[in-house]
Amino acid sequence: AVPSAARDVGQTDRRIGREALVFLEGRGLDRDDGTEQSEAGAGLYSLLFGAVAGVTISGVVYAGRTLQVLLFDHDYYKLQSRKRYYEKQLLFTREQEETQQAHYLSAMASEYDPAACRMPFKALDPKFRF
C-alpha cells in the first residue's frame, strides 16, 4: 500500500500539471487542432469580460449613490433652510441700510443752508432751492 503522504504528493503533481496546462491554454496559444482559443482566459475574452464587469459595477455604484441621495441625503433640506434664512437676513439688512440712508439724508437736509450755496453778492440759483 502507498502511504497517504505519497498519494497526496502525486495528486498535487497532477493538479499542478493541469493548472499549468490551463494556464498555457488560457494565454491564447493555439490548440492541437490549430484553432484559436476564444474561451475563458483568452486576451480578447479577458478584455471584454473586464469591460462588461466594469460597466456593471459602475452601474451598481451609480444606482447605489442615487438611492442614497434620494433616501438618505438631508443636506439638500439643510441648504434650503440656510438659503431662506440668508434671504431673510439680507432683506432685514437692506431695510436697515435704507432706514439709515433716510436718516442720513434728513440730517443733511436739516443742516442745509441755501444761502451758503450762492455766489457772493449774487442771487441764489433756483436749483439750490427746496
Side-chain angles (χ1 to χ4, degrees):
V2 178
S4 66
R7 255 186 285 131
D8 290 344
V9 169
Q11 289 175 353
T12 302
D13 287 343
R14 274 180 278 175
R15 186 172 44 85
I16 289 174
R18 276 193 308 256
E19 288 176 359
L21 181 62
V22 168
F23 175 76
L24 289 175
E25 285 180 354
R27 298 302 250 170
L29 299 176
D30 291 341
R31 292 183 174 180
D32 292 337
D33 58 0
T35 60
E36 286 274 329
Q37 182 172 353
S38 61
E39 56 188 29
L44 181 61
Y45 179 85
S46 295
L47 288 173
L48 289 175
F49 185 84
V52 170
V55 168
T56 304
I57 290 173
S58 304
V60 168
V61 168
Y62 181 76
R65 288 184 176 176
T66 302
L67 286 175
Q68 187 223 358
V69 167
L70 289 175
L71 301 176
F72 304 110
D73 185 23
H74 302 297
D75 289 339
Y76 172 78
Y77 299 112
K78 285 192 256 182
L79 289 175
Q80 290 300 318
S81 175
R82 289 177 184 161
K83 284 180 182 178
R84 283 192 303 271
Y85 180 78
Y86 173 73
E87 286 175 357
K88 287 179 183 178
Q89 197 173 24
L90 191 62
L91 289 173
F92 176 77
T93 305
R94 284 184 185 164
E95 288 176 4
Q96 291 290 325
E97 288 174 356
E98 288 174 2
T99 304
Q100 289 173 356
Q101 186 69 18
H103 285 298
Y104 173 76
L105 288 176
S106 67
M108 293 294 285
S110 68
E111 296 177 6
Y112 180 66
D113 183 14
C117 295
R118 68 180 176 85
M119 295 297 287
F121 307 107
K122 301 232 174 169
L124 182 64
D125 193 10
K127 69 179 179 183
F128 294 117
R129 294 183 193 274
F130 257 149

